[in-house]
Amino acid sequence: MSILIKNVLFNDRTIDIYIEGKEIKQIGEGLSFPADKILDGSRKAVIPGFVNAHTHAAMTLFRGFGDDMPLMPWLEQKIWPNEAKMTREDVYWGAKLACLEMISGTTSFFDMYQRPRVTADVTEEMGLRGIIAGVCFDGFDKEEAEKCKRHNERLIQDVDNYSKRVRFSIGP
């Protein structure tokens, strides 16, 4: 599928944008390509996609849950006890909801949450770009730190199972 967007405003200039598949192939003035679809971009503007640099995507399920509390009591009394009960499916649907909400303009996000492969799977399904961090709460315990290190090393190696839109990182 190819798309040619004609006469769209970008940085105070009127340009054309040619897209093949999911990639922008060319940007310029007066482009002429045999496209499957030609769109009139007059009276419209092209803006960059938004990047959400700090997410815990699956936490959409906790929206409004104890939000009138100070941070530490909220974490200790509401969030952490309930996060401990979350299943793979809970993380899946919470991340799916977050991605659905982000599709309205967010093109990339950085996520730090439990079950990073689940969030990576959802990111892939939803067509977004995500940098998914393997989180490590080691409590300054050397054994736990080594366990986290091994987990994150395996996660980084798993990147080959995903498209170039999904990357893994190490997070706090």
Side-chain angles (χ1 to χ4, degrees):
M1 171 74 143
S2 60
I3 301 171
L4 179 59
I5 305 171
K6 300 288 290 177
N7 305 314
V8 67
L9 185 64
F10 178 71
N11 287 343
D12 297 323
R13 289 181 36 224
T14 300
I15 60 158
D16 302 332
I17 302 171
Y18 179 65
I19 304 165
E20 275 184 11
K22 295 181 180 182
E23 292 187 26
I24 296 173
K25 292 293 186 177
Q26 193 165 349
I27 297 173
E29 296 177 17
L31 297 182
S32 179
F33 290 97
D36 297 322
K37 190 178 244 183
I38 297 175
L39 302 175
D40 180 12
S42 301
R43 298 175 26 127
K44 296 182 177 52
V46 174
I47 62 171
F50 296 109
V51 176
N52 189 340
H54 185 128
T55 68
H56 308 284
M59 286 187 76
T60 56
L61 300 177
F62 295 123
R63 188 174 290 137
F65 186 57
D67 62 356
D68 58 339
M69 298 174 69
L71 177 62
M72 290 314 293
W74 176 71
L75 288 170
E76 293 169 347
Q77 297 167 23
K78 296 287 184 182
I79 298 303
W80 291 339
N82 285 290
E83 281 180 333
K85 300 173 190 171
M86 289 182 78
T87 66
R88 180 189 194 291
E89 187 172 3
D90 294 331
V91 173
Y92 175 87
W93 288 110
K96 191 101 170 186
L97 174 59
C99 286
L100 182 62
E101 291 172 346
M102 286 190 272
I103 282 176
S104 65
T106 300
T107 60
S108 304
F109 69 101
F110 180 78
D111 194 75
M112 306 149 275
Y113 203 63
Q114 60 176 302
R115 301 179 194 247
R117 285 179 187 84
V118 176
T119 302
D121 292 344
V122 169
T123 303
E124 189 78 53
E125 287 174 22
M126 298 297 285
L128 290 171
R129 285 186 302 219
I131 300 172
I132 315 299
V135 181
C136 184
F137 288 103
D138 62 17
F140 302 103
D141 176 272
K142 286 186 181 190
E143 277 185 39
E144 193 61 31
E146 279 302 311
K147 181 179 165 187
C148 287
K149 180 181 171 186
R150 287 189 305 275
H151 172 75
N152 283 307
E153 286 170 344
R154 285 190 306 274
L155 190 63
I156 298 293
Q157 291 169 352
D158 281 353
V159 76
D160 293 337
N161 297 326
Y162 297 92
S163 73
K164 64 183 180 179
R165 290 182 287 98
V166 175
R167 294 288 172 252
F168 290 109
S169 177
I170 298 172

